[in-house]
Amino acid sequence: MLTYPHIDPVALQIGPLAIHWYGLTYLAAFGLFMLLGIRRLRHEPFASITGPGAWSRKDVEDILFLGVAGVVVGGRLGYCLFYKPAYYLSHPLEIFAVWQGGMAFHGGLLGVIAAMLWFAHSRKRPWLQVADFVAPCVPTGLAAGRVGNFINGELWGRFASPDLPWGMVFAHSGSLQPRHPSQVYQFLLEGLLLFILLWLYARKERRQGQVAAAFLVGYGTFRFIAEYFREPDAFLGILSLGMSMGQWLCVPMIAAGVGLWVWAQRQPAVAQKIR
């Protein structure tokens, strides 16, 4: 079995200025989104849309800015509401103490959805068209975030068999028993594999909403699987039906994705060129 290498979370220290690896993974996520978003402009239907509704690099930049705001605000509020509602109801000012940690992906997703609704409304574009554009560009950012989780030695996995070759001891977890490196599992599933599948799926023009639906189903499924290997939050533990909070939050996500895909499939093809 392996031992967690205790990576210094500070990548570079210049006087009082400390640059953390976790911050660098966020920068990597933003850079990858820009790179993929620019390439996405070449895909259909976006490459063929002309006139006032034509897509440009400026749109990618604006979506990134709004998306970052949605992730931060939604992720923080989601953590407070989904994981510790009673605590933050009693300590409302601590909601703003983001430096103490505590972000939830599902809350961040809702924040991004709200940001994309605002973008679509302000640009007079179909919201599902915007969601389809954004969805394939997201998984690489999730992968970068999981790298940050591993470097920080957080969100470790459940106990593993001592015979598991890649079982890892996270001594700061309070136990010297090997655990699943669940951050790596999530990096591979929710990050790389989801990106490959979604990017290939989105290369061919689909019914409006189906790419976004594929993201919801894909992420929800992979996260649901990974949660079986990830240590649940100590203050919550395992909930009803033997599922973690992360799994329970994935259930409506998967259902919504399936429903959206089926609904989109039944809709008539949309003429997306705007001249």
Side-chain angles (χ1 to χ4, degrees), residues 158-180:
R158 304 185 191 189
F159 292 125
S161 168
D163 298 327
L164 187 69
W166 57 85
M168 181 169 289
V169 174
F170 292 86
H172 52 290
S173 71
S175 171
L176 295 180
Q177 289 183 257
R179 295 177 178 272
H180 289 280

Side-chain angles (χ1 to χ4, degrees), residues 178-193:
R179 295 177 178 272
H180 289 280
S182 56
Q183 312 98 321
V184 178
Y185 297 174
Q186 292 188 264
F187 166 82
L188 295 173
L189 288 174
E190 305 159 12
L192 293 187
L193 181 57

Side-chain angles (χ1 to χ4, degrees), residues 234-264:
F235 54 87
L236 288 176
I238 299 296
L239 305 178
S240 57
L241 300 181
M243 290 162 51
S244 67
M245 174 60 82
Q247 288 174 313
W248 275 112
L249 292 173
C250 284
V251 171
M253 185 178 182
I254 296 171
V258 172
L260 176 58
W261 195 95
V262 172
W263 175 85

